Amino acid sequence: MKKTLASILLILLAAPMSRAADQLPDSLLTVKSPSGALSVVKARQTAKAGEAIVVRGRIGGRAMSLMDKAAIAVLADEKSIVPCDANPADSCKTPWDYCCESPEKLKAGTATIQVKGENGKLLRTSLRGFSGLKELSTVVVAGTVDASSTQDALIINVASIHVEKQ
Amino acid sequence: MLPLSYAVRNLFRAPARLTQLVLGAAIVILLLMLTSALSKGMDGVIKASGSEENVIVLGSGSEESVERSEVAASLPSLLAASVPGIKTTLGKPAVSAEIHYNGLLTPKSGMPRQALIRGVTPAALLVHPDIRLTAGRFPHAGEVMVGKLAANKLGLPHDELAIGGRVRIGESDFDVVGHFQAPGTVMEGEVWADVNDLRAVGQRDTLSCVVVRLGEATFDDVEIFTLQRLDLELVAMRESDYYQKLSVFYRPIRAMTWLTTALIAVGAVFGGFNTLYAAFASRIREMATLQAIGYTRTALLVSLVQECLLASLLAVFVAGVMAMGLADGYTVSFSIGTFALEITSEILGIGALGGAALAILGALPPAWTCLNPQLHSALRSA
């Protein structure tokens, strides 16, 4: 009995020590689509670290495009690459991985979007379900180009997301 | 109830028939044991090969075969620098650059054999703690070390891969400088060489994968890295998930072995029916007499089943001896590795249960036919 009580007490004490999921800021959602959005391909050509940027694209580009434990996702260009379900004969179960596209086109047509907290660290919560966000959702994101971003790997720190109704 | 001695005495009444029954059942039980051992061995090797603490980072689209994967040679240092919390040992991050090469290895005397060769650096020992050097040392350039089961996998006598020997991989010769063990894992069937040597052999400037051992870092941290570096076209998988995925590939083979066993068992049951129908049919009057002096049909049924169970117990013994003698320790090679069959007490238990099921299934219908006739007509039967 004493052992059981001690175990329960230990669990209760330990519970607050385990990492709680972060909250996405309320300011993240924008109802009105930001103007002057670039395509992913265009953004990759012109983006410079630290600059403000607005990009439009679809969630997708790899099988795991939307992480469940971190506010990070892959954004695919709307025009230069097409998801598998755009091909009528295709029966791909994961059309958001764009597996019917060549690796080269895929590489050139994708970017990373992520939401960081005030401490500058990536928020440990998923973007999935945020205003209905899921794979192949069309979004317009506004934010700044991450310092570690390169021309080959565009990373955008998102300040606001507009999710287009499908 | 009839005494057990009655069943035992009846069992040895017709030695030829008993031998036929026991050998027939023994073959099925042996097959059942071997299939169970094969399935268990395959599961075991796949489970043991993939550590929950390791994350394997490979090329996107190569999730089902690390041999086909290509990642940048700079990836190990990038991972070590970008993912905080990777396990470190004496200041060295547990990040192993690896090339998995499925190619031809030519022993000193003999034909080239298909071998699993892994190009590694000493950091491999930090992510694969199961590796134990049993003789010699870790290989440098121009050298290899071989796993305990590598010779079996290659179908070579062990002295062909003895320390001091030479093997040829591609166009290059390598000295065997070490032997290692990694109990129950696919690594035991591999040959390990220096990663740069394998890069030259494979004429590539890339790696197959990088294996990272998690310390304070989580799997998500590595996955985040792969999402932030889309240019590297990477995918992160838990090592355990990778091997689990590979095991799906072997399901049809396993299903086939079980199906074969089941078909042979069905055949044996029908063979048993045949023998037992004949055996019990000649004892209808004997059974009726026993009923007339007061034994119930249930007691007689139990006695007949006892006879079959005793015969199957003999069959289990014979099959067990054969399995221990012929199969225990026998090495089985499949495309991703090699493992030794183990006839454990669990496998023997499965055989015993199978034998019991075979006896009961085989005995009930003939016993029913034997005990079903009315007493007055059964007493008059020939």
Side-chain angles (χ1 to χ4, degrees):
Chain A
M1 188 67 190
K2 277 183 184 174
K3 272 187 182 175
T4 311
L5 284 170
S7 303
I8 292 168
L9 195 66
L10 200 68
I11 291 164
L12 288 172
L13 286 170
M17 287 158 63
S18 65
R19 186 172 182 148
D22 294 326
Q23 290 284 314
L24 291 170
D26 295 336
S27 58
L28 188 65
L29 182 66
T30 169
V31 180
K32 195 167 172 283
S33 177
S35 57
L38 301 170
S39 69
V40 173
V41 170
K42 189 77 182 158
R44 283 175 55 113
Q45 290 165 354
T46 57
K48 287 186 177 64
E51 278 187 352
I53 194 165
V54 180
V55 181
R56 179 189 171 93
R58 296 180 82 180
I59 301 294
R62 46 183 292 167
M64 217 285 303
S65 299
L66 199 54
M67 257 187 90
D68 285 330
K69 290 183 181 172
I72 186 166
V74 182
L75 199 62
D77 193 272
E78 271 188 299
K79 291 195 176 83
S80 71
I81 49 176
V82 290
C84 307
D85 59 359
N87 307 317
D90 201 286
S91 58
C92 181
K93 287 177 184 163
T94 53
W96 58 86
D97 64 7
Y98 289 69
C99 60
C100 39
E101 288 287 6
S102 69
E104 294 75 24
K105 282 177 84 176
L106 209 53
K107 204 169 158 179
T110 50
T112 305
I113 58 169
Q114 59 185 24
V115 183
K116 286 185 171 179
E118 286 171 3
N119 59 1
K121 287 187 173 172
L122 186 67
L123 292 179
R124 295 292 175 140
T125 185
S126 183
L127 288 169
R128 188 185 298 281
F130 179 75
S131 185
L133 189 80
K134 60 180 193 288
E135 286 89 353
L136 294 179
S137 292
T138 303
V139 296
V140 182
V141 298
T144 53
V145 180
D146 190 79
S148 63
S149 187
T150 65
Q151 202 156 27
D152 290 330
L154 172 61
I155 306 170
I156 302 162
N157 294 324
V158 175
S160 69
I161 302 179
H162 169 75
V163 183
E164 288 200 356
K165 294 283 168 269
Q166 286 178 300
Chain B
M1 282 290 158
L2 282 155
L4 185 64
S5 56
Y6 173 77
V8 174
R9 208 173 54 242
N10 273 312
L11 196 63
F12 291 100
R13 224 197 255 174
R17 194 168 56 214
L18 175 67
T19 308
Q20 187 188 339
L21 270 174
V22 168
L23 287 180
I27 288 167
V28 176
I29 294 162
L30 176 67
L31 204 61
L32 181 67
M33 285 178 181
L34 295 181
T35 308
S36 304
L38 187 77
S39 191
K40 198 166 175 280
M42 233 179 217
D43 274 346
V45 81
I46 282 163
K47 212 170 274 180
S49 298
S51 167
E52 285 283 332
E53 290 177 67
N54 284 356
V55 177
I56 183 164
V57 182
L58 19 76
S60 181
S62 304
E63 293 90 328
E64 280 162 22
S65 170
V66 71
E67 284 98 351
R68 285 193 297 117
S69 165
E70 289 198 42
V71 299
S74 58
L75 184 60
S77 52
L78 279 172
L79 275 163
S82 311
V83 181
I86 286 174
K87 190 179 173 72
T88 55
T89 305
L90 300 172
K92 286 199 179 300
V95 177
S96 171
E98 297 185 3
I99 290 176
H100 292 234
Y101 178 73
N102 201 337
L104 294 175
L105 179 145
T106 312
K108 198 174 173 182
S109 58
M111 296 286 293
R113 320 281 171 126
Q114 198 70 29
L116 286 165
I117 305 149
R118 194 183 292 221
V120 291
T121 64
L125 300 176
L126 303 178
V127 300
H128 302 297
D130 293 339
I131 297 287
R132 293 273 176 278
L133 269 166
T134 52
R137 57 177 174 79
F138 197 84
H140 303 307
E143 298 170 343
V144 294
M145 68 175 189
V146 295
K148 183 186 158 192
L149 299 176
N152 301 74
K153 165 115 183 102
L154 298 168
L156 293 170
H158 282 262
D159 58 357
E160 282 272 13
L161 297 177
I163 291 175
R166 286 200 128 192
V167 293
R168 174 168 277 254
I169 301 168
E171 298 300 310
S172 312
D173 286 330
F174 292 84
D175 296 322
V176 180
V177 296
H179 286 171
F180 69 90
Q181 278 185 349
T185 71
V186 296
M187 293 181 282
E188 283 209 311
E190 294 177 357
V191 174
W192 282 24
D194 182 86
V195 72
N196 293 319
D197 284 344
L198 267 205
R199 211 178 274 163
V201 167
Q203 295 177 344
R204 59 193 288 173
D205 52 9
T206 56
L207 302 167
S208 298
C209 67
V210 176
V211 184
V212 173
R213 193 154 185 88
L214 301 170
E216 288 168 18
T218 63
F219 171 72
D220 296 325
D221 294 327
V222 183
E223 193 148 53
I224 287 165
F225 171 82
T226 67
L227 286 182
Q228 288 174 329
R229 293 302 308 265
L230 294 174
D231 55 317
L232 298 174
E233 299 174 270
L234 304 170
V235 66
M237 288 177 89
R238 284 186 193 280
E239 201 181 41
S240 51
D241 290 345
Y242 172 75
Y243 282 104
Q244 205 51 51
K245 223 171 179 178
L246 288 188
S247 76
V248 173
F249 179 75
Y250 295 100
R251 270 187 201 160
I253 299 167
R254 249 190 273 194
M256 280 301 293
T257 56
W258 280 109
L259 185 68
T260 308
T261 305
L263 287 171
I264 291 171
V266 168
V269 166
F270 279 104
F273 279 170
N274 216 13
T275 310
L276 291 171
Y277 269 117
F280 291 171
S282 64
R283 290 166 60 186
I284 290 176
R285 191 193 281 188
E286 178 193 333
M287 292 293 134
T289 309
L290 286 167
Q291 281 183 72
I293 61 174
Y295 287 104
T296 61
R297 279 183 175 168
T298 308
L300 296 171
L301 178 72
V302 169
S303 180
L304 290 173
V305 172
Q306 270 176 355
E307 275 180 46
C308 292
L309 280 169
L310 286 167
S312 108
L313 201 63
L314 279 171
V316 169
F317 176 74
V318 171
V321 168
M322 284 167 83
M324 295 293 285
L326 301 172
D328 194 38
Y330 181 81
T331 51
V332 177
S333 293
F334 62 124
S335 65
I336 62 161
T338 304
F339 64 93
L341 283 181
E342 279 185 73
I343 307 298
T344 59
S345 53
E346 189 189 336
I347 299 295
L348 292 171
I350 288 169
L353 285 173
L358 209 62
I360 293 165
L361 274 173
L364 284 175
W368 172 259
T369 309
C370 176
L371 298 169
N372 196 33
Q374 291 294 315
L375 191 58
H376 57 86
S377 60
L379 283 167
R380 280 199 296 270
S381 73

